[in-house]
Amino acid sequence: MSPAKTHVRDTPVPGAPPIQIIGLHKHFGEPGALREIERHHARIEKARRLVAARQSSQESATPDLTGQAPENIDEPMVVKQDESTQATPGDDVTRKVMGTQPNEPETKDVQQPQPAEDLRAHHHSGLLHVLKGIDLTVNKGEVVCVIGPSGSGKSTLLRSVNLLEMPTGGKVLIEGIDIQDPDVNVDKIRTRIGMVFQSFNLFPHMTVLRNVTIAQEKVLRRTSAQARKVALDMLERVGLSDKATAHPSQLSGGQQQRVAIARSLSMNPDMMLFDEPTSALDPELVGEVLEVMRSLAAEGMTMMVVTHEMGFAREVGTRVIFMDDGQIVEQGRPSDVLGNPQQPRTQLFLSKVL
Ligand SMILES: Nc1ncnc2c1ncn2[C@@H]1O[C@H](COP(=O)(O)OP(=O)(O)OP(=O)(O)O)[C@@H](O)[C@H]1O
Ligand SMILES: [Mg+2]
């Protein structure tokens, strides 16, 4: 029997930055090409595990009295077809990963998998390359405001940070943990990252209180009394104590967004990601949401905020990042980037929005 999967890396590495993004790529596009990239990654991962399993079995080789091969270790080295990858044994990519030739007898000598870059290059033309090698470190307590034109990849960047989008290249480390590492419990890491979207995504049939308690109970396994206490504290914090029994349809957009923030905060996140949290709001309701975010920043919450609110970015941001065409074009102190942009693309963008 396979040993039970142990999640060895789900506690933060002391001193590691909350968010570290290294050479991040994301492609969208033609499904066949994408699937091939995904299959390729799946095979690389499988090969990596087989290499690790073989190495550890060689290190601790003990006679097997049952005479049966240990599971996985003697698996043929051409990856079996499975539902998720639909790998075709002997196809080009499999040979590339596993190092076999057509009609060559399958070998048990595991070759190191090749990096994905070759494959990505082959398929560039069929894909929309949305993030093009993003490097970014967000330190504890920073408020990083991300600005840029529509379609530049801001949301995709944010969604990649908690694996709502699966990167097609590069790494995302959360508090030092590689969230694509198969030994990592991603769900547990996700609970430390609060995310607030433009649309509030509250459950319409539940009260405000229930909207804020449900994930605490289901995900964090808090008792209903504990969850209720936390929820009431958080609703107070966003100025909505009196709305606990209301339903979302009875609230203004600004109030609904503040409930969404309270819901995120009730999970005790170490960091918060905001994707245009005020874009769907009537202008007179924007201020109350920004005020909540301002107070969070003042309390030292690490934040990444995609926003069109340049005033907020200037006042609350510790850093502004300007993205265009899947790349970070310019970044720095808000007063520098917004007040004295160096790059022509930043200048052009700001000339339109300021
Ligand atoms: N699920 C998807 N499938 C295919 N293409 C996508 C998908 N999500 C985003 N894209 C494309 O990726 C590019 C970047 O999109 P993204 O939403 O990250 O941009 P953005 O900077 O957040 O734009 P906006 O300011 O309009 O929100 C766009 O060209 C978009 O059409
Ligand atoms: Mg967006």
Side-chain angles (χ1 to χ4, degrees):
M1 261 200 3
S2 306
K5 188 175 166 94
T6 50
H7 297 299
V8 289
R9 279 176 288 262
D10 55 11
T11 49
V13 176
I19 301 170
Q20 200 174 6
I21 297 167
I22 304 164
L24 184 69
H25 288 264
K26 176 67 185 175
H27 300 75
F28 288 113
E30 197 259 299
L34 264 182
R35 266 202 302 279
E36 192 139 332
I37 285 191
E38 282 161 9
R39 275 187 225 147
H40 182 74
H41 277 281
R43 290 180 190 126
I44 286 185
E45 195 44 53
K46 207 157 182 178
R48 192 188 70 76
R49 285 177 190 226
L50 287 168
V51 169
R54 165 138 311 200
Q55 280 168 352
S56 73
S57 83
Q58 281 170 352
E59 278 161 19
S60 59
T62 47
D64 180 358
L65 298 179
T66 67
Q68 287 187 337
E71 209 174 311
N72 288 333
I73 305 303
D74 276 350
E75 196 172 321
M77 293 320 300
V78 170
V79 178
K80 282 189 292 191
Q81 188 158 347
D82 66 39
E83 284 164 13
S84 62
T85 65
Q86 296 173 355
T88 311
D91 73 8
D92 278 354
V93 179
T94 307
R95 281 194 297 280
K96 196 169 187 179
V97 176
M98 307 312 302
T100 57
Q101 294 299 314
N103 306 321
E104 196 181 59
E106 290 170 7
T107 169
K108 289 181 182 175
D109 291 336
V110 180
Q111 311 256 330
Q112 280 297 335
Q114 294 182 4
E117 271 66 23
D118 311 351
L119 189 82
R120 209 164 37 226
H122 282 304
H123 287 287
H124 249 97
S125 54
L127 295 169
L128 190 59
H129 199 177
V130 172
L131 296 179
K132 302 177 177 174
I134 302 280
D135 294 303
L136 172 65
T137 299
V138 179
N139 291 307
K140 201 165 166 44
E142 268 200 287
V143 179
V144 173
C145 292
V146 184
I147 62 171
S150 182
S152 55
K154 306 180 298 294
S155 295
T156 308
L157 174 64
L158 223 55
R159 291 167 60 79
S160 300
V161 169
N162 63 352
L163 279 193
L164 289 173
E165 299 289 356
M166 192 60 84
T168 44
K171 273 188 193 310
V172 176
L173 306 181
I174 298 296
E175 297 176 321
I177 303 164
D178 179 352
I179 58 180
Q180 291 171 88
D181 183 331
D183 292 333
V184 156
N185 184 347
V186 176
D187 290 335
K188 192 164 172 192
I189 291 174
R190 277 207 194 103
T191 65
R192 296 206 288 272
I193 311 171
M195 184 142 183
V196 174
F197 303 90
Q198 183 178 331
S199 54
F200 327 120
N201 301 323
L202 300 177
F203 293 116
H205 58 293
M206 293 178 186
T207 63
V208 163
L209 185 65
R210 189 63 186 137
N211 265 283
V212 183
T213 56
I214 186 164
Q216 297 185 59
E217 292 174 25
K218 302 262 185 241
V219 180
L220 299 184
R221 304 258 169 238
R222 288 182 182 150
T223 65
S224 59
Q226 287 170 332
R228 182 185 160 85
K229 182 175 182 326
V230 173
L232 290 174
D233 283 351
M234 293 306 147
L235 287 173
E236 186 177 350
R237 184 169 175 177
V238 301
L240 289 174
S241 299
D242 55 334
K243 297 292 183 190
T245 57
H247 279 75
S249 62
Q250 297 169 305
L251 303 183
S252 72
Q255 289 170 332
Q256 289 186 54
Q257 191 60 299
R258 285 188 280 149
V259 174
I261 295 173
R263 178 182 54 185
S264 275
L265 292 177
S266 73
M267 303 294 281
N268 278 3
D270 293 345
M271 64 203 81
M272 291 283 290
L273 311 178
F274 293 89
D275 192 355
E276 298 195 32
T278 59
S279 300
L281 300 179
D282 291 339
E284 71 271 22
L285 302 178
V286 168
E288 64 192 55
V289 173
L290 292 182
E291 191 49 47
V292 169
M293 293 168 64
R294 196 175 282 122
S295 73
L296 269 180
E299 289 165 24
M301 176 66 81
T302 306
M303 291 160 58
M304 258 180 99
V305 186
V306 175
T307 186
H308 294 301
E309 297 293 334
M310 298 301 156
F312 176 86
R314 189 187 285 269
E315 188 197 329
V316 182
T318 54
R319 189 168 17 145
V320 166
I321 287 182
F322 172 67
M323 276 184 77
D324 193 14
D325 193 23
Q327 291 167 314
I328 294 176
V329 173
E330 185 163 358
Q331 61 176 308
R333 285 192 312 216
S335 55
D336 292 338
V337 176
L338 300 176
N340 186 23
Q342 299 301 302
Q343 299 297 323
R345 280 196 278 174
T346 322
Q347 291 164 358
L348 181 66
F349 174 76
L350 289 174
S351 72
K352 290 181 190 158
V353 300
L354 281 180

